[in-house]
Amino acid sequence: METDKILETIHMISDEKLDIRTITMGISLLDCIDSDSDQACQRIYQKITTKAANLVKVGQQIEAEYGIPIINKRISVTPISLIAAASSDRDYFKYAQTLDRAAKTVGVNFIGGFSALVQKGYQHGDQRLIASLPRVLAETDLVCCSVNVGSTRSGINMDAVAEMGRVVKAASERSTTANTKLVVFCNAVEDNPFMAGAFHGVGEGDTVVSVGVSGPGVVKHALEKVKGESLDVVAETIKKTAFKVTRMGQLVGTIAAERLGVPFGIVDLSLAPTPAVGDSVAQILEEIGLAKVGTHGTTAALALLNDAVKKGGIMACSRVGGLSGAFIPVSEDSGMISAVEAGSLNVEKLEAMTAVCSVGLDMIPIPGDTPAETIAAMIADEAAIGMINNKTTAVRVLPVKGKKVGEMVEFGGLMGYAPVMAVNSASSAAMINRGGSIPAPIHSFKN
């Protein structure tokens, strides 16, 4: 590799906050199913602690040898609603405790997969898992949860949407940070390495290692060199930068898989911001030419960014997967926080932006007295955007008990901080209480 390219990569890491955001091991638990929940939990614990025994150590070795920061080491597992359904247990908290204990034993940051896929209806395991969510979110430390309520192929399960509104509300009563570990999806993907929405899909192999790469600061720095150039140049610059970042992710993922003795899964090139200055997706959009994120043109700039990131990633690696694009979590992005404080960014604009980015309404504090039906309606809106546009959308909103619009909330660490954002006060209850489903769109019929 040419000396200037090596120095460029070192500069990206040291000055522009380029990192491997996560190495995530996906583990199938299908062979742990047992009608005796104690036996099932014992098998789950044993499999996770065996397969992932060296995950953290290998990540630390790669960091030391290559000088590449690997921020998180994580695990995703088969949706627990499928594993626990064989038992007669009416509450699945025991399974969550097992996941939490296994994650702590191997030393990972989070474990995802306390999940249910209910886009077309419930099986009894789904209902029991969803009923367990408020307690699991509040009383476990490392367990991340997700529920998929819709898809382009099957439509939106509005009974599940209504139930998830109540779950989010109930979890917020137990803990301010509980809902940071819960994502409600439409069109969830099976190979997402990012939390809180990661789970190991049933179509995946027994064990795989995937990598999530992030580099908002690198993209912003690259755009600083093309000030005043046309948007064609902007798109090409982002694409070339994404190519370089993805190659680094592929290198790390390949080495990790080889050392762990499992197949390499995918590289997810998602521009995932942190609260640190210089690590912001919002600041990329402002570098493109917006005075402040949220103003007119924001959705167009984000569409350009998201598309160019995907194109660059796909050129660099044949195993690009997950979500791969740009994340817009409010509390985790210093530029987004600034835009909210300045009054230029609101929930309605964020919803418009989700039509063209990788996920949805993410890490948004809302007033603690927001009705469950309003939360459900926010989920329904995002699911509709995902269903119609054949893309993944998600909701991770955070009702904060006792807080009003404009008050600051601190979540800590990578979760960041943000002011409470206003939601529309007009009621959506009559629509949500109808229940039923929203049928799949006409363009879902492709066979």
Side-chain angles (χ1 to χ4, degrees):
M1 199 173 179
E2 298 155 357
T3 302
D4 63 329
K5 298 297 183 186
I6 295 170
L7 292 173
E8 181 186 29
T9 303
I10 292 170
H11 179 59
M12 286 179 177
I13 292 168
S14 62
D15 299 338
E16 299 166 15
K17 297 183 170 59
L18 174 62
D19 60 53
I20 300 294
R21 188 55 49 85
T22 181
I23 292 180
T24 301
M25 177 177 279
I27 302 173
S28 172
L29 300 182
L30 292 174
D31 55 355
C32 299
I33 293 173
D34 197 293
S35 59
D36 182 331
S37 61
D38 290 331
Q39 285 291 324
C41 287
Q42 184 177 338
R43 291 178 183 177
I44 289 168
Y45 179 82
Q46 184 173 357
K47 183 164 188 181
I48 292 171
T49 54
T50 301
K51 292 286 186 180
N54 295 318
L55 177 61
V56 173
K57 183 174 75 173
V58 166
Q60 291 169 341
Q61 288 172 348
I62 295 171
E63 280 187 279
E65 289 174 31
Y66 292 86
I68 300 170
I70 301 172
I71 308 302
N72 297 294
K73 295 83 177 174
R74 296 166 170 172
I75 296 169
S76 64
V77 299
T78 311
I80 291 297
S81 68
L82 304 177
I83 308 304
S87 75
S88 59
D89 290 27
R90 305 197 66 81
D91 182 284
Y92 292 167
F93 183 68
K94 178 194 298 183
Y95 289 86
Q97 284 182 306
T98 301
L99 296 181
D100 206 38
R101 186 162 57 93
K104 289 173 179 176
T105 298
V106 298
V108 295
N109 306 95
F110 286 111
I111 184 166
F114 196 81
S115 307
L117 310 176
V118 297
Q119 57 268 26
K120 206 167 184 178
Y122 292 108
Q123 48 98 354
H124 73 266
D126 299 323
Q127 292 173 317
R128 291 172 183 176
L129 182 135
I130 290 171
S132 304
L133 283 173
R135 184 182 178 194
V136 169
L137 292 165
E139 297 184 26
T140 60
D141 298 316
L142 306 179
V143 177
C144 291
C145 309
S146 61
V147 176
N148 191 67
V149 297
S151 72
T152 299
R153 188 66 179 165
S154 62
I156 303 171
N157 180 348
M158 289 300 291
D159 292 327
V161 167
E163 183 61 28
M164 290 312 298
R166 292 189 286 270
V167 165
V168 171
K169 182 74 172 177
S172 72
E173 295 289 333
R174 289 173 175 255
S175 166
T176 299
T177 59
N179 285 305
T180 63
K181 299 183 293 177
L182 172 65
V183 181
V184 186
F185 279 116
C186 178
N187 287 323
V189 296
E190 295 193 338
D191 57 359
N192 170 23
F194 283 96
M195 299 296 168
F199 63 86
H200 188 67
V202 295
E204 297 287 314
D206 183 73
T207 312
V208 298
V209 169
S210 295
V211 170
V213 187
S214 183
V218 178
V219 175
K220 182 180 183 297
H221 181 79
L223 292 181
E224 288 172 356
K225 299 176 182 178
V226 295
K227 286 184 184 291
E229 300 281 355
S230 73
L231 291 175
D232 302 277
V233 174
V234 169
E236 190 66 19
T237 301
I238 295 168
K239 189 168 67 174
K240 289 178 179 177
T241 306
F243 179 92
K244 296 173 187 175
V245 172
T246 305
R247 294 292 282 183
M248 187 190 75
Q250 184 179 25
L251 170 68
V252 171
T254 303
I255 294 168
E258 183 180 314
R259 293 187 182 181
L260 290 164
V262 301
F264 173 46
I266 57 96
V267 176
D268 185 328
L269 175 58
S270 288
L271 299 182
T274 71
V277 175
D279 202 22
S280 163
V281 169
Q283 288 170 1
I284 297 174
L285 302 179
E286 290 168 0
E287 187 62 41
I288 290 172
L290 306 173
K292 208 73 175 174
V293 164
T295 190
H296 302 293
T298 297
T299 306
L302 182 58
L304 182 155
L305 172 63
N306 206 62
D307 181 65
V309 166
K310 289 180 186 291
K311 287 174 178 172
I314 288 170
M315 286 174 63
C317 176
S318 60
R319 288 179 170 268
V320 171
L323 298 169
S324 288
F327 291 175
I328 53 171
V330 173
S331 75
E332 297 176 3
D333 188 312
S334 60
M336 295 286 179
I337 297 165
S338 174
V340 174
E341 290 178 316
S344 68
L345 184 62
N346 55 34
V347 170
E348 288 76 16
K349 185 62 177 181
L350 283 164
E351 184 180 299
M353 293 164 68
T354 65
V356 299
C357 77
S358 286
V359 277
L361 296 175
D362 194 13
M363 291 299 291
I364 301 175
I366 60 175
D369 59 1
T370 303
E373 294 84 0
T374 297
I375 297 168
M378 296 171 76
I379 295 169
D381 282 344
E382 276 304 303
I385 290 171
M387 176 183 72
I388 294 296
N389 291 297
N390 195 24
K391 68 181 291 292
T392 303
T393 51
V395 173
R396 185 165 49 155
V397 293
L398 314 169
V400 184
K401 188 176 181 180
K403 294 288 186 179
K404 302 296 182 185
V405 173
E407 293 186 65
M408 194 63 70
V409 184
E410 178 73 49
F411 298 107
L414 287 176
M415 299 296 181
Y417 64 95
V420 174
M421 298 183 70
V423 299
N424 198 309
S425 60
S427 176
S428 310
M431 174 190 171
I432 296 301
N433 291 335
R434 285 177 178 268
S437 63
I438 295 178
I442 186 67
H443 57 261
S444 69
F445 299 101
K446 298 199 181 278
N447 288 336

